[in-house]
Amino acid sequence: MNDLSRTGEVALGIIGTILNVILLIIVTLAVFSANALNTTEVQNMIETEIMADPTLTQQEMEYTKDILAGGMDVVGVVGWVFVALLLLSVILSIIAVVKVSKNKSPKTAGILFIFAGLLSGILLLAPILFYIAAIMCFVRKTPVHYVEDPYYRTEAETETHTTTTPHQPL
């Protein structure tokens, strides 16, 4: 039996998953530290910097403070969304690696690799590895296992076996 090895897909999937986990840890720590900052202290620092600018009017100062307060809230929400997307990408890539390593359903693994790549970002290294693994899953064919037929002989086997009755043309 000639088994088709899916080592390339598995290796790319594992490397991409490890890179995604590292990015997930970094982003999670960044979001935690951004949320742990005392926002009132940061806003007070920014307000003192804004007040020190003599060219700004009172209305511009208020507008700038409102934008900064809203921006800090948006950064927290976007950070947690990015963490959730990375976590989902890691889960999908682990499932894809398991599916392709067992060589049961490489097409499904390819689809999961594509979704994992889309969820983890577009121009990072991990999604590119996932896309390459997905292409390999789709392109490489699983071998067809033939059942040996006792009545079927190849040309080489036919030449070595002699029959008792000569072949007569019709």
Side-chain angles (χ1 to χ4, degrees):
M1 291 274 179
N2 186 7
D3 273 338
L4 179 66
S5 177
R6 298 277 183 178
T7 308
E9 292 93 326
V10 171
L12 290 172
I14 290 173
I15 293 169
T17 302
I18 290 171
L19 291 174
N20 259 359
V21 167
I22 292 170
L23 182 62
L24 176 66
I25 291 170
I26 291 170
V27 170
T28 304
L29 290 175
V31 170
F32 270 130
S33 64
N35 286 340
L37 283 176
N38 191 351
T39 56
T40 56
E41 286 182 17
V42 173
Q43 285 180 348
N44 287 339
M45 275 183 16
I46 293 172
E47 284 179 24
T48 56
E49 292 295 322
I50 292 172
M51 297 284 188
D53 190 3
T55 60
L56 292 176
T57 64
Q58 185 65 29
Q59 185 180 17
E60 289 172 337
M61 287 182 203
E62 291 298 321
Y63 181 71
T64 306
K65 286 193 284 187
D66 291 340
I67 288 176
L68 290 173
M72 291 179 79
D73 292 337
V74 168
V75 167
V77 171
V78 169
W80 285 117
V81 168
F82 194 57
V83 166
L85 290 175
L86 280 174
L87 184 62
L88 186 58
S89 173
V90 167
I91 292 169
L92 288 177
S93 64
I94 290 171
I95 294 170
V97 167
V98 168
K99 284 194 172 290
V100 80
S101 67
K102 292 182 179 180
N103 206 11
K104 296 277 184 192
S105 53
K107 303 287 185 209
T108 306
I111 292 169
L112 291 174
F113 277 134
I114 289 174
F115 283 130
L118 290 173
L119 291 175
S120 66
I122 295 175
L123 297 176
L124 299 173
L125 181 60
I128 292 171
L129 295 177
F130 289 150
Y131 298 145
I132 293 170
I135 290 169
M136 289 172 69
C137 285
F138 291 131
V139 171
R140 294 175 73 188
K141 303 290 182 202
T142 55
V144 179
H145 299 290
Y146 294 104
V147 177
E148 290 193 28
D149 187 2
Y151 301 106
Y152 176 76
R153 291 187 180 162
T154 62
E155 288 181 23
E157 290 174 337
T158 308
E159 291 173 3
T160 59
H161 289 79
T162 58
T163 57
T164 56
T165 58
H167 175 64
Q168 297 291 326
L170 294 174

